[in-house]
Coordinates of all heavy atoms in Angstrom, one line a residue:
N296 N 231.8 172.9 200.1 CA 231.3 171.8 200.9 C 230.3 172.3 202.0 O 229.3 171.6 202.2 CB 232.4 171.0 201.5 CG 233.3 170.2 200.5 OD1 232.8 169.9 199.4 ND2 234.5 169.9 200.9
K297 N 230.6 173.4 202.5 CA 229.7 174.0 203.6 C 228.3 174.3 203.0 O 227.3 174.0 203.7 CB 230.4 175.3 204.1 CG 229.8 175.7 205.5 CD 230.6 176.9 206.0 CE 232.1 176.5 206.4 NZ 232.8 177.6 207.0
A298 N 228.3 174.8 201.8 CA 227.0 175.1 201.2 C 226.3 173.9 200.7 O 225.1 173.7 200.9 CB 227.2 176.1 200.0
T299 N 227.0 172.9 200.1 CA 226.4 171.7 199.5 C 225.9 170.8 200.6 O 225.0 170.0 200.4 CB 227.3 171.0 198.5 OG1 228.5 170.6 199.2 CG2 227.6 171.9 197.3
R300 N 226.5 170.9 201.8 CA 226.0 170.1 202.9 C 224.6 170.5 203.3 O 223.8 169.7 203.8 CB 226.9 170.2 204.1 CG 228.2 169.4 204.1 CD 229.1 169.6 205.3 NE 230.5 169.3 205.0 CZ 231.5 169.9 205.5 NH1 231.3 170.9 206.3 NH2 232.7 169.5 205.2
R301 N 224.2 171.7 203.0 CA 222.8 172.2 203.2 C 222.0 172.0 202.0 O 220.8 171.6 202.1 CB 222.9 173.7 203.6 CG 223.5 174.0 204.9 CD 223.8 175.5 205.1 NE 222.7 176.3 204.8 CZ 222.8 177.3 203.9 NH1 223.9 177.5 203.2 NH2 221.7 178.1 203.6
L302 N 222.5 172.1 200.8 CA 221.8 172.0 199.6 C 221.4 170.6 199.2 O 220.2 170.3 198.9 CB 222.5 172.6 198.4 CG 221.9 172.5 197.0 CD1 220.6 173.2 196.9 CD2 222.9 173.0 196.0
F303 N 222.4 169.7 199.2 CA 222.2 168.3 198.7 C 221.1 167.5 199.4 O 220.4 166.7 198.8 CB 223.5 167.6 198.6 CG 224.4 168.1 197.5 CD1 225.8 167.8 197.6 CD2 223.9 168.8 196.4 CE1 226.6 168.3 196.6 CE2 224.8 169.2 195.4 CZ 226.1 169.0 195.5
P304 N 221.0 167.6 200.8 CA 219.9 166.8 201.4 C 218.5 167.3 201.0 O 217.6 166.5 201.1 CB 220.1 167.1 202.9 CG 221.6 167.5 203.0 CD 221.9 168.2 201.8
V305 N 218.4 168.5 200.5 CA 217.1 169.0 200.0 C 216.9 168.8 198.5 O 215.8 168.5 198.1 CB 217.0 170.5 200.4 CG1 215.7 171.1 199.8 CG2 217.2 170.7 201.9
A306 N 218.0 169.0 197.8 CA 217.9 169.0 196.3 C 219.3 168.5 195.7 O 220.2 169.2 195.8 CB 217.6 170.3 195.7
N307 N 219.3 167.2 195.2 CA 220.5 166.7 194.7 C 220.3 166.0 193.3 O 221.1 165.2 192.9 CB 221.2 165.8 195.6 CG 220.5 164.5 195.8 OD1 219.3 164.4 195.5 ND2 221.1 163.4 196.3
T308 N 219.2 166.5 192.6 CA 219.0 166.0 191.2 C 218.7 167.2 190.4 O 218.2 168.3 191.0 CB 217.9 165.0 191.1 OG1 216.6 165.7 191.5 CG2 218.1 163.8 192.0
P309 N 218.8 167.2 189.1 CA 218.5 168.4 188.3 C 217.0 168.8 188.5 O 216.8 170.0 188.6 CB 218.7 167.9 186.8 CG 219.7 166.8 187.0 CD 219.4 166.1 188.3
Q310 N 216.1 167.9 188.5 CA 214.7 168.3 188.7 C 214.5 168.9 190.1 O 213.7 169.9 190.2 CB 213.8 167.1 188.5 CG 212.3 167.4 188.5 CD 211.9 168.4 187.4 OE1 212.2 168.1 186.2 NE2 211.4 169.6 187.7
A311 N 215.1 168.4 191.1 CA 214.9 168.9 192.4 C 215.5 170.4 192.5 O 214.9 171.2 193.2 CB 215.6 168.0 193.5
I312 N 216.6 170.6 191.8 CA 217.1 172.0 191.8 C 216.2 172.9 191.1 O 215.9 174.0 191.6 CB 218.5 172.0 191.1 CG1 219.6 171.2 191.9 CG2 219.0 173.4 190.9 CD1 220.1 171.8 193.1
L313 N 215.6 172.4 190.0 CA 214.6 173.3 189.2 C 213.4 173.6 190.1 O 212.9 174.7 190.1 CB 214.2 172.6 188.0 CG 215.3 172.4 186.8 CD1 214.7 171.6 185.7 CD2 215.6 173.8 186.3
D314 N 213.0 172.6 190.9 CA 211.8 172.8 191.8 C 212.1 173.8 192.9 O 211.1 174.4 193.4 CB 211.4 171.4 192.4 CG 210.9 170.4 191.4 OD1 210.5 170.9 190.2 OD2 210.8 169.2 191.7
L315 N 213.4 174.0 193.2 CA 213.7 175.0 194.2 C 213.4 176.4 193.7 O 213.0 177.3 194.5 CB 215.2 174.9 194.6 CG 215.6 173.9 195.6 CD1 217.1 174.0 195.8 CD2 214.9 174.0 197.0
G316 N 213.6 176.6 192.4 CA 213.5 177.9 191.8 C 214.8 178.7 192.1 O 215.6 178.3 193.0
L317 N 215.0 179.8 191.3 CA 216.3 180.5 191.4 C 216.5 181.1 192.8 O 217.6 180.9 193.3 CB 216.3 181.6 190.3 CG 217.6 182.4 190.2 CD1 218.8 181.5 189.9 CD2 217.4 183.5 189.2
E318 N 215.5 181.8 193.3 CA 215.7 182.4 194.6 C 215.9 181.3 195.7 O 216.8 181.5 196.6 CB 214.5 183.2 195.0 CG 214.4 184.5 194.3 CD 213.3 185.4 194.8 OE1 212.8 185.2 195.9 OE2 213.0 186.4 194.1
G319 N 215.3 180.2 195.6 CA 215.5 179.1 196.6 C 216.9 178.6 196.5 O 217.5 178.4 197.6
L320 N 217.4 178.4 195.3 CA 218.8 177.9 195.1 C 219.8 178.9 195.7 O 220.7 178.6 196.4 CB 219.0 177.6 193.7 CG 220.5 177.2 193.3 CD1 220.9 175.9 194.0 CD2 220.6 177.0 191.8
E321 N 219.5 180.2 195.4 CA 220.5 181.2 195.9 C 220.5 181.2 197.4 O 221.6 181.5 198.0 CB 220.0 182.6 195.4 CG 220.2 182.9 193.9 CD 219.8 184.2 193.4 OE1 219.1 184.9 194.2 OE2 220.0 184.6 192.3
G322 N 219.4 180.9 198.0 CA 219.4 180.9 199.5 C 220.4 179.9 200.1 O 221.0 180.1 201.1
Y323 N 220.6 178.8 199.3 CA 221.5 177.7 199.8 C 222.9 178.0 199.5 O 223.8 177.5 200.2 CB 221.1 176.4 199.2 CG 219.8 175.8 199.9 CD1 218.6 175.8 199.3 CD2 219.9 175.1 201.1 CE1 217.5 175.3 199.9 CE2 218.8 174.5 201.7 CZ 217.6 174.6 201.1 OH 216.5 174.1 201.7

């Protein structure tokens, strides 16, 4: 929950996650 509170406001759809890129996702 601590991580997804940061991730989901930025990317909470499959396409938005893809747009982050692997390194971007890892950062969250």
